[in-house]
């Protein structure tokens, strides 16, 4: 099975980005989290905190029989009234590809060619840390705007993410 060429440079970029930050672990905070996303799409997530309240997140997920990747910057803020709960807001960019003959993006009747979508993303969500564990659960909404003419706005991307931090 041939892998899309975009994922190799994206993976190298993320590794260089994550490797360039000095780890500053504090009590109760972890630098890196990996997780599984499930909602309107299925996939995975790697989140790396670059400061106490700022993170970079790479999401790779499958939707409409195609693959999407999003790289996001997120700002986390505590909810003081509820221990272990934070909300976050951020944005970034995405790239998606659907390979014929499996292509079934919603904007075409039948997949007869390869399709690509790229654009900008916005994300807002809640994240809960189960007290005294390395387990996190988040719920987010991630609308995206595509620069490809026939796709425009995707406003329905919502997911739960179960993460483990280390």
């Amino acid at each position: 099975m041939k892998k899309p060429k975009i994922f190799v440079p994206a993976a190298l970029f993320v590794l260089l980005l994550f490797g360039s930050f000095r780890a500053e672990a504090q009590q109760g905070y972890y630098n890196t989290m990996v997780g599984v996303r499930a909602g309107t799409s299925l996939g995975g997530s790697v989140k790396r905190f670059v400061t106490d309240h700022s993170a970079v997140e790479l999401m790779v997920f499958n939707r409409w029989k195609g693959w999407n990747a999003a790289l996001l910057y997120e700002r986390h803020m505590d909810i003081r009234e509820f221990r272990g709960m934070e909300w976050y807001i951020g944005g970034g960019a995405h790239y998606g590809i659907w390979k014929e003959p499996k292509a079934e993006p919603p904007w075409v009747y039948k997949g007869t060619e390869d399709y690509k979508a790229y654009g900008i993303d916005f994300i807002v969500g809640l994240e809960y840390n189960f007290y005294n564990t390395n387990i996190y659960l988040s719920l987010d909404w991630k609308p995206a705007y595509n620069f490809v003419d026939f796709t425009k706005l995707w406003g329905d991307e919502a997911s739960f993410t179960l993460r483990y931090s280390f």
Side-chain angles (χ1 to χ4, degrees), residues 1-4 62 67 99 102:
M1 180 174 162
K2 188 174 178 182
K3 294 183 180 180
N62 187 309
W67 285 96
K99 297 296 255 178
K102 293 182 179 180

Side-chain angles (χ1 to χ4, degrees), residues 32-43:
T32 305
M33 297 196 262
V34 294
V36 177
R37 291 179 54 83
T40 52
S41 61
L42 294 173

Side-chain angles (χ1 to χ4, degrees), residues 90-134:
H94 71 272
Y95 179 81
I97 188 165
W98 292 263
K99 297 296 255 178
E100 189 278 321
K102 293 182 179 180
E104 284 190 17
W107 57 88
V108 298
Y109 175 70
K110 185 176 181 183
T112 58
E113 59 185 89
D114 294 350
Y115 294 93
K116 296 179 176 122
Y118 52 89
I120 57 174
D121 296 68
F122 172 77
I123 191 166
V124 62
L126 290 171
E127 186 166 82
Y128 179 70
N129 171 231
F130 293 95
Y131 187 64
N132 286 334
T133 69
N134 293 13

Side-chain angles (χ1 to χ4, degrees), residues 1-165:
M1 180 174 162
K2 188 174 178 182
K3 294 183 180 180
K5 293 178 184 176
I6 189 70
F7 289 116
V8 174
L12 290 175
F13 171 75
V14 170
L15 287 174
L16 290 172
L17 180 68
F18 287 169
S20 67
F21 295 107
R22 186 171 55 107
E24 297 179 10
Q26 295 183 0
Q27 184 179 359
Y29 289 94
Y30 299 94
N31 287 327
T32 305
M33 297 196 262
V34 294
V36 177
R37 291 179 54 83
T40 52
S41 61
L42 294 173
S45 165
V46 176
K47 183 185 281 194
R48 171 80 176 188
F49 279 87
V50 294
T51 68
D52 288 346
H53 297 287
S54 300
V56 176
E57 183 171 8
L58 173 66
M59 299 175 183
V60 178
F61 51 93
N62 187 309
R63 187 153 188 211
W64 301 306
K65 295 185 181 178
W67 285 96
N68 292 281
L71 186 60
L72 306 166
Y73 173 82
E74 300 167 355
R75 177 79 178 153
H76 286 246
M77 290 148 282
D78 290 330
I79 299 175
R80 296 179 194 269
E81 294 79 19
F82 193 38
R83 185 180 182 142
M85 180 76 78
E86 294 182 339
W87 72 282
Y88 56 94
I89 189 168
H94 71 272
Y95 179 81
I97 188 165
W98 292 263
K99 297 296 255 178
E100 189 278 321
K102 293 182 179 180
E104 284 190 17
W107 57 88
V108 298
Y109 175 70
K110 185 176 181 183
T112 58
E113 59 185 89
D114 294 350
Y115 294 93
K116 296 179 176 122
Y118 52 89
I120 57 174
D121 296 68
F122 172 77
I123 191 166
V124 62
L126 290 171
E127 186 166 82
Y128 179 70
N129 171 231
F130 293 95
Y131 187 64
N132 286 334
T133 69
N134 293 13
I135 306 296
Y136 290 76
L137 179 66
S138 68
L139 169 65
D140 63 62
W141 176 56
K142 189 182 73 62
Y145 183 82
N146 291 294
F147 297 128
V148 181
D149 291 336
F150 48 78
T151 59
K152 301 292 185 202
L153 182 66
W154 289 345
D156 63 342
E157 182 71 34
S159 290
F160 285 99
T161 306
L162 183 62
R163 293 188 174 93
Y164 177 78
S165 62

